[in-house]
Amino acid sequence: MTDTGSTRVRRGDTRQRIRDVALRLFAAHGYEKTSLREIAEEIGVTKAALYYHFKTKEDILVAIHDDFTGPIDELIAWGREQPRTVETAREILRRYSLALEDASDLFRFMQENAAVIRDLSLHERFKERSRVIARLISPPGAPLEERVRAVAALYTMHAGVFAIAQHLDEEVGSEERRLAVLRVAEEMVVRAAEKCGRESARTDGPGTGGSGSGGRGPAPG
């Protein structure tokens, strides 16, 4: 009797090993200089066995990308169902921070291999996710300056993965750096919410005679 459950697990393990080893080799030797044969040899399988799971390097890279960005898609789906409050924005940033840290190897690879990423349209997919998250953490009805602040908070978090470690003189652990970056990003979205709250109060205050679009913004925390 065939143990189909065990077979599925073994196949899943092999696919995961292929993705893990391929990303490591791509990062170490460059995407263009890494062959399917080298990936197969590193894993200890035949090239034919590798073809069973992935036909091309592009297929492997897309699978790696989808693997790491799945939690971000889940976060976006969750965020769309939540009220647009500063508390929601802070929770989105907290979860996004963890997702970025988990995918840090992929995002560093994407930065260093921009031409490949563009050819596969992965960069556009990442930018679209970033645009959606920026909207989710922006106060509703926010003026341009506060929307810019929300985008800046998001890119502060991206810099925390890609670049900030290069500009710090002292040795800082990855978790300490992540939390510091998260605090700075949170300060930006809180400030944006508070500014929108003050504008709303001025617009909707006694004697103004109007509700104003800023009235939808959250009150200061």
Side-chain angles (χ1 to χ4, degrees):
M1 181 176 179
T2 302
D3 186 350
T4 56
S6 297
T7 301
R8 282 195 297 270
V9 169
R10 286 196 298 273
R11 287 176 180 171
D13 287 347
T14 301
R15 285 180 66 87
Q16 187 60 56
R17 285 173 58 214
I18 292 170
R19 292 194 291 265
D20 293 344
V21 168
L23 181 56
R24 176 164 54 80
L25 293 178
F26 292 160
H29 306 303
Y31 177 81
E32 298 295 348
K33 293 181 179 179
T34 301
S35 67
L36 288 176
R37 177 185 55 79
E38 289 170 321
I39 295 171
E41 289 178 353
E42 185 72 15
I43 296 168
V45 300
T46 65
K47 197 171 177 181
L50 184 65
Y51 280 155
Y52 176 80
H53 297 283
F54 299 103
K55 300 293 189 257
T56 65
K57 287 194 301 183
E58 290 81 1
D59 291 342
I60 297 175
L61 186 54
V62 169
I64 293 170
H65 175 272
D66 292 346
D67 224 21
F68 278 116
T69 55
I72 297 176
D73 292 334
E74 292 172 6
L75 172 59
I76 288 172
W78 177 85
R80 283 172 165 157
E81 298 297 319
Q82 306 308 308
R84 295 281 294 280
T85 65
V86 67
E87 290 79 12
T88 296
R90 293 181 69 177
E91 180 62 15
I92 288 173
L93 288 178
R94 187 190 70 80
R95 297 187 186 194
Y96 192 56
S97 174
L98 292 170
L100 287 177
E101 189 64 28
D102 287 344
S104 58
D105 289 344
L106 170 65
F107 292 132
R108 278 191 287 269
F109 168 82
M110 289 173 63
Q111 185 184 37
E112 294 166 1
N113 296 267
V116 173
I117 298 305
R118 279 196 301 271
D119 289 346
L120 296 178
S121 300
L122 298 182
H123 189 251
E124 285 302 316
R125 290 162 64 179
F126 181 69
K127 284 200 301 185
E128 178 56 29
R129 289 180 175 93
S130 296
R131 282 191 285 266
V132 174
I133 293 175
R135 288 195 293 270
L136 291 175
I137 64 175
S138 299
L144 176 61
E145 182 178 331
E146 306 318 317
R147 283 182 278 136
V148 169
R149 206 182 305 278
V151 172
L154 197 62
Y155 278 85
T156 294
M157 301 190 72
H158 294 170
V161 174
F162 298 135
I164 283 181
Q166 303 170 22
H167 300 284
L168 297 175
D169 294 331
E170 70 276 16
E171 284 292 326
V172 178
S174 60
E175 181 64 5
E176 184 180 359
R177 184 188 71 242
R178 183 186 72 81
L179 292 174
V181 169
L182 176 59
R183 285 192 294 270
V184 172
E186 284 182 328
E187 287 171 4
M188 290 183 183
V189 297
V190 169
R191 183 175 176 186
E194 290 175 343
K195 181 78 175 293
C196 286
R198 288 193 295 270
E199 291 295 331
S200 174
R202 281 198 293 269
T203 302
D204 296 339
T208 60
S211 59
S213 62
R216 296 192 302 275

